[in-house]
Amino acid sequence: MKNYLKHDEWCIIEEGFHREYNEISESVFSLGNGRMGQRANFEETFTGKTLQGNYVAGVYYPDKTRVGWWKNGYPEYFAKVLNAANWIGLKIEIDEEELDLNTCEVSDFVRVLNMKEGYLERSFVATLPSGKQVKVNAKRINSIVDDEAGAIRYAITPLNFEGKLHVTAFVDGDIKNKDANYDDKFWDEVAKETAFAEGYLHMKTKKTGFHVVTAQRIKVYQDGIVRDFQSLPEKREKYVANKFTLDIKQDIETAIVKFACNLSSENYATETLMTEAKSYLAKIATKGFDKMVTEQAEKWGERWKMNDIVIEGDVAAQQGIRFNIFQLNQTYSGEDARLNIGPKGFTGEKYGGSTYWDTEAYCLPFYMATSSEQVARNLLVYRWKQLDRAIENAGKLGFNQGAALYPMVTMNGEECHNEWEITFEEIHRNGAIAFAIYNYINYTGDEAYLGEFGLDVLVGIARFWAQRFNWSEYRKKYVMLGVTGPNEYENNVNNNWYTSYIATWCLKYTIEAANKVKASNPARYEEITQNLNLKEVEEFEKFQAIIDHVYLPESEELGVFLQQDGFLDKELIQVKDLAPADRPINQKWSWDRILRSCFIKQADVLQGMYFFEDDFTIEQLRRNYDFYEPMTVHESSLSPCVHAILAAKLGDKARSYEFYQRSARLDLDDYNNDTEDGCHITSMAGTWMSVVEGFGGMRVKEGKVTLRPFLPENWQSFAFKIIFRGHILTVTTSSEEVTIENTAEEAITIVLYGEELSIEANASISAAIVAV
């Protein structure tokens, strides 16, 4: 754990320059707006440890797969979010010396991510080798109002001298991804232009042919007054710059304001990109930096009105949840159905920036409850649009007749993950996508979705499961062989309980969904059966046979479901008995040793019990939780939130809070020593679930919101809002009572601690808190 960031309710604050943690800070202090994102790299030159990162939504490159032994069915490539042209660059020279925080003496360093208003600010005093001192203040936004733009105000004040300030403001497209498999550069230059204080760089990705124009415009102020200056344009391959020199005087501030935009062919015709970039720059430059910052604060204020979770009495917990919500809103707005949510968002390159099952399992609940219904619908429609590719993916592995296997990793629906135990075996992702359809309909009541899009996807997934199970004559059961469950510290196992359980549930739900569509919209059902060539009687009989005869491993002696066949053959050691020097095991142990151990990366059996909690008694949940959690190392960011929610259900306040804190502060405290690669965006939605579903006990059952809140021991109160079927509910829990406010124009019936209560329009109710 790192503890160098100051606790604050609305800001992430680094006091003092921590060179050794700089890449972690670059991740944590990242900015994004749903269309573009930027790691918190310095504007000026920095020769120390850094990971440059500027990303444009929807733009990727199919990097050729790098493996030692090619296997049939392997994806040809791994899709990667691209490190795009660096738009923030400012080369700063004081007389003959370049400003570089790696080579000069740094004091009074403060870096602040203001989450309330959506900006990054950094200030410091630098003493150059000559002894000259400058004070710098740099403020930056990625605008959520003009969401293809960023702006910087970089202010320099000489403290003990006067002289010449040489500035080179540049856009640099000669960049590469740190994770490039063959050290390739993925961009070609198309065109470039410069004008007075302006530069335009038009780049195109190799293979995929995405076009992006990155552009800049510069203004200069001295002592708060606009300053005329002479700008010398500079061009070289994949690079444009504007160079200028200014006289600077002691204690007089010189501010360079840089406006920039990233426009892509995803949103504009390629032939108009340069013209559009010029118009875009003119628009934001006319607004000016101060107005852009003001609009940014206002827009973030609107978002926080709905998304905020307020915690009293625990600043670390408050900072953690707001950081998670802030990063989620920076990553995905839901306005473009072509986009999805990468595990690192716009904060780093790891995992390729692609779509994983994390979206359906963890992110969907957050967006359902805090955004318009259309946002969640877009996430589901995204998968429906890729159904044909999912069928192709299954076909590559030998499945047929419309069976669909959704990819573990994708940008366009095609599988692009290249680790065999994931690509071929971690097939439970299909189940998460089906569960998301159920979860969305259960929450929103949008039953029409089944006929429009949902049933198509469910049938494809069910067909895959029907072919993936096989009959075991030995067991007289249907079994599922050669899989990897959510616990990736086990590969190629037989009868992973979670995979088999969610697969069986998918078969049941597909039959149920088909019957609903058939009854409500017979014409549409007939159309679906014809389009899918669905042989209802024959196929559904097969589905039912599997449902009736599935093998699910279980230990009657221990009263637990077995993670997979042979799990009890392992040496069952608890995590508390591991030496600290062995943690984290994924960085300290060989893969062979990990695979033979009992240690669990993340919730596996417990993931299933979280999804399908109504299928199990509280006693079953407790036995399985107490058996598996002590062997779980939580080395997946997706693990703590599930354990927090289940512990809350069990009334275990201490463990629920412990896992919430671990989830909420995973990146802020760098629990797993990997934040330098980027923040764990998708698991941040799990942090929100830890509060709302864990401490709030929020569920939707039989069309009603149900709540069972409790207050963590060291909190004075907490409050959250949810949007539910046209109602906005604010739930506030204190040590004495729970208050629920309904700000809709219609009454709503909710269930609180098992009792149905009606809340009138624009009214609230309060009830005594009940011990859990």
Side-chain angles (χ1 to χ4, degrees):
M1 285 180 57
K2 316 295 189 302
N3 291 297
Y4 71 100
L5 299 175
K6 184 179 177 181
H7 291 181
D8 183 273
E9 291 186 349
W10 275 110
C11 295
I12 311 300
I13 303 170
E14 177 185 6
E15 293 182 338
F17 182 36
H18 299 80
R19 284 181 176 83
E20 70 279 21
Y21 298 149
N22 187 55
E23 287 185 312
I24 298 172
S25 293
E26 288 176 340
S27 297
V28 169
F29 289 87
S30 293
L31 292 177
N33 59 20
R35 292 237 181 245
M36 56 183 272
Q38 173 68 51
R39 284 173 62 84
N41 309 116
F42 297 158
E43 291 85 2
E44 74 277 356
T45 300
F46 182 66
T47 57
K49 192 177 181 183
T50 183
L51 174 60
Q52 179 68 43
N54 172 44
Y55 311 103
V56 180
V59 175
Y60 68 93
Y61 180 82
D63 197 10
K64 183 172 173 57
T65 295
R66 187 169 188 169
V67 293
W69 175 29
W70 198 270
K71 298 175 177 65
N72 288 335
Y74 250 16
E76 294 287 332
Y77 66 89
F78 189 89
K80 293 180 175 174
V81 62
L82 291 190
N83 187 8
N86 174 20
W87 65 269
I88 67 170
L90 294 171
K91 183 180 179 181
I92 304 295
E93 296 172 287
I94 312 296
D95 292 326
E96 304 303 321
E97 296 176 286
E98 185 171 3
L99 179 60
D100 178 353
L101 296 198
N102 195 47
T103 60
C104 62
E105 181 183 329
V106 182
S107 60
D108 300 326
F109 182 97
V110 180
R111 178 161 29 187
V112 177
L113 179 65
N114 186 309
M115 299 180 290
K116 189 174 186 178
E117 299 184 8
Y119 65 82
L120 172 63
E121 189 167 20
R122 178 172 57 106
S123 60
F124 59 88
V125 172
T127 303
L128 302 171
S130 65
K132 294 175 182 176
Q133 286 188 329
V134 293
K135 180 172 68 174
V136 174
N137 177 272
K139 190 171 185 177
R140 181 195 308 173
I141 65 168
N142 272 30
S143 175
I144 60 174
V145 177
D146 303 295
D147 65 3
E148 292 164 303
I152 299 165
R153 183 184 185 276
Y154 193 92
I156 304 172
T157 304
L159 297 181
N160 61 356
F161 70 97
E162 61 181 43
K164 298 288 186 181
L165 172 64
H166 306 286
V167 179
T168 304
F170 62 85
V171 174
D172 183 10
D174 191 23
I175 40 79
K176 66 180 181 181
N177 274 45
K178 180 181 178 181
D179 67 349
N181 284 341
Y182 295 92
D183 208 31
D184 293 335
K185 293 183 178 179
F186 302 145
W187 294 92
D188 286 329
E189 180 186 302
V190 176
K192 54 181 174 278
E193 290 184 22
T194 54
F196 170 71
E198 295 180 23
Y200 302 86
L201 185 62
H202 184 169
M203 305 282 286
K204 180 181 75 170
T205 61
K206 299 175 182 179
K207 295 185 181 179
T208 44
F210 294 105
H211 289 250
V212 176
V213 169
T214 303
Q216 67 172 16
R217 178 182 284 194
I218 308 301
K219 290 185 179 180
V220 174
Y221 299 80
Q222 284 191 319
D223 206 16
I225 301 171
V226 176
R227 167 73 186 270
D228 291 331
F229 62 98
Q230 292 184 332
S231 172
L232 177 66
E234 181 180 351
K235 297 179 185 178
R236 59 176 183 260
E237 186 181 3
K238 302 180 184 180
Y239 179 93
V240 293
N242 302 106
K243 302 178 70 172
F244 51 95
T245 298
L246 304 165
D247 292 321
I248 53 175
K249 296 182 180 181
Q250 185 172 333
D251 298 327
I252 301 298
E253 180 188 81
T254 297
I256 300 115
V257 176
K258 184 173 186 176
F259 302 96
C261 63
N262 282 308
L263 271 57
S264 86
S265 56
E266 287 288 270
N267 305 309
Y268 300 89
T270 301
E271 61 273 16
T272 68
L273 272 174
M274 195 71 83
T275 302
E276 293 284 0
K278 292 175 182 178
S279 298
Y280 208 103
L281 268 188
K283 177 183 72 171
I284 60 175
T286 299
K287 275 189 180 183
F289 184 79
D290 290 343
K291 185 174 183 181
M292 289 183 73
V293 170
T294 299
E295 289 180 345
Q296 180 87 338
E298 290 171 352
K299 189 75 169 180
W300 270 107
E302 292 172 12
R303 290 192 177 182
W304 284 116
K305 283 179 184 177
M306 186 60 236
N307 292 332
D308 195 18
I309 289 178
V310 180
I311 297 169
E312 292 186 336
D314 189 337
V315 175
Q318 177 68 88
Q319 183 185 48
I321 190 62
R322 282 188 173 140
F323 176 69
N324 284 253
I325 294 169
F326 179 74
Q327 290 291 1
L328 283 164
N329 278 288
Q330 289 199 127
T331 301
Y332 183 75
S333 66
E335 294 174 4
D336 190 335
R338 298 170 300 173
L339 302 178
N340 209 277
I341 307 160
K344 296 294 183 183
F346 294 120
T347 70
E349 301 169 11
K350 193 173 182 183
Y351 303 124
S354 306
T355 305
Y356 286 62
W357 67 289
D358 307 17
T359 293
E360 285 77 22
Y362 297 88
C363 297
L364 183 70
F366 170 77
Y367 290 102
M368 283 195 305
T370 63
S371 304
S372 70
E373 186 176 300
Q374 190 60 44
V375 171
R377 220 175 198 263
N378 281 348
L379 288 173
L380 299 186
V381 172
Y382 176 91
R383 294 290 195 178
W384 174 81
K385 288 180 177 179
Q386 296 178 352
L387 178 58
D388 288 346
R389 283 293 182 90
I391 292 170
E392 288 178 14
N393 293 334
K396 291 175 183 178
L397 302 184
F399 297 88
N400 53 37
Q401 297 177 330
L405 175 60
Y406 277 90
M408 187 65 184
V409 177
T410 193
M411 279 289 193
N412 61 6
E414 185 176 20
E415 177 66 77
C416 63
H417 197 282
N418 49 40
E419 295 177 36
W420 69 269
E421 69 274 12
I422 305 299
T423 309
F424 302 147
E425 297 186 345
E426 199 165 336
I427 53 178
H428 65 81
R429 71 248 191 180
N430 250 15
I433 291 166
F435 183 78
I437 295 171
Y438 162 79
N439 202 9
Y440 166 78
I441 294 170
N442 182 56
Y443 189 92
T444 65
D446 183 10
E447 293 284 351
Y449 184 81
L450 279 177
E452 290 180 69
F453 304 107
L455 186 56
D456 292 4
V457 173
L458 291 172
V459 168
I461 289 173
R463 284 170 163 171
F464 172 82
W465 291 128
Q467 294 177 42
R468 191 57 170 78
F469 278 108
N470 67 271
W471 177 255
S472 165
E473 189 61 32
Y474 167 71
R475 293 189 185 276
K476 305 296 184 187
K477 294 279 188 181
Y478 283 95
V479 297
M480 182 89 72
L481 308 179
V483 299
T484 297
N487 173 30
E488 293 171 338
Y489 290 174
E490 288 276 14
N491 300 152
N492 197 28
V493 301
N494 293 335
N495 299 307
N496 170 257
W497 182 89
Y498 170 75
T499 304
S500 295
Y501 197 93
I502 200 167
T504 307
W505 174 86
C506 287
L507 296 173
K508 293 177 186 175
Y509 184 53
T510 301
I511 296 172
E512 176 187 327
N515 288 333
K516 283 184 177 180
V517 175
K518 189 176 183 178
S520 64
N521 193 343
R524 175 58 182 151
Y525 184 73
E526 180 63 25
E527 182 182 6
I528 291 171
T529 58
Q530 289 182 9
N531 290 342
L532 302 181
N533 192 25
L534 177 63
K535 299 177 175 61
E536 178 184 331
V537 175
E538 177 185 332
E539 294 191 62
F540 287 6
E541 282 182 356
K542 176 66 179 295
F543 296 175
Q544 192 63 51
I546 295 170
I547 295 165
D548 293 340
H549 300 94
V550 68
Y551 170 65
L552 296 167
E554 183 176 0
S555 168
E556 293 184 6
E557 179 182 354
L558 297 176
V560 298
F561 305 115
L562 293 181
Q563 187 172 276
Q564 71 268 340
D565 288 351
F567 186 82
L568 294 181
D569 292 331
K570 293 175 176 286
E571 185 180 7
L572 302 182
I573 304 170
Q574 296 192 355
V575 174
K576 66 180 178 61
D577 297 321
L578 278 173
D582 285 334
R583 302 288 304 278
I585 64 172
N586 63 10
Q587 297 175 22
K588 302 296 181 67
W589 284 12
S590 70
W591 194 241
D592 167 74
R593 187 179 181 188
I594 290 173
L595 292 176
R596 289 186 288 108
S597 78
C598 68
F599 296 118
I600 301 168
K601 182 182 181 185
Q602 68 188 82
D604 196 302
V605 168
L606 297 180
Q607 181 75 43
M609 300 191 82
Y610 162 66
F611 276 162
F612 307 111
E613 62 177 9
D614 291 339
D615 293 356
F616 311 103
T617 66
I618 198 74
E619 290 77 17
Q620 286 177 308
L621 174 58
R622 191 181 307 280
R623 285 195 300 271
N624 281 274
Y625 192 94
D626 290 342
F627 181 72
Y628 285 109
E629 193 287 316
M631 291 183 282
T632 304
V633 290
H634 302 290
E635 288 173 9
S636 165
S637 64
L638 301 173
S639 189
C641 63
V642 173
H643 288 82
I645 295 165
L646 293 180
K649 184 176 176 65
L650 291 170
D652 190 336
K653 292 184 179 182
R655 280 199 288 187
S656 184
Y657 178 75
E658 173 192 346
F659 288 124
Y660 161 77
Q661 280 288 76
R662 181 159 183 165
S663 179
R665 301 195 60 84
L666 183 75
D667 291 312
L668 294 177
D669 296 336
D670 192 27
Y671 267 96
N672 289 340
N673 296 316
D674 60 0
T675 303
E676 64 186 31
D677 297 324
C679 295
H680 298 81
I681 301 299
T682 49
S683 70
M684 290 178 173
T687 305
W688 178 90
M689 295 190 324
S690 297
V691 175
V692 175
E693 297 183 13
F695 307 150
M698 194 275 286
R699 305 288 192 274
V700 174
K701 297 183 185 294
E702 298 179 356
K704 297 183 181 67
V705 170
T706 74
L707 297 157
R708 297 189 64 84
F710 74 87
L711 191 68
E713 294 294 343
N714 55 332
W715 292 7
Q716 295 170 12
S717 69
F718 72 98
F720 61 86
K721 291 183 180 180
I722 59 169
I723 301 172
F724 180 73
R725 302 188 184 184
H727 297 81
I728 297 178
L729 302 178
T730 303
V731 181
T732 303
T733 303
S734 68
S735 59
E736 301 293 330
E737 65 179 14
V738 178
T739 300
I740 305 166
E741 182 183 7
N742 171 28
T743 54
E745 297 301 320
E746 295 181 358
I748 187 173
T749 299
I750 60 100
V751 178
L752 179 64
Y753 299 120
E755 180 184 355
E756 278 199 6
L757 300 171
S758 180
I759 313 175
E760 296 301 316
N762 296 303
S764 63
I765 60 168
S766 295
I769 196 166
V770 174
V772 297

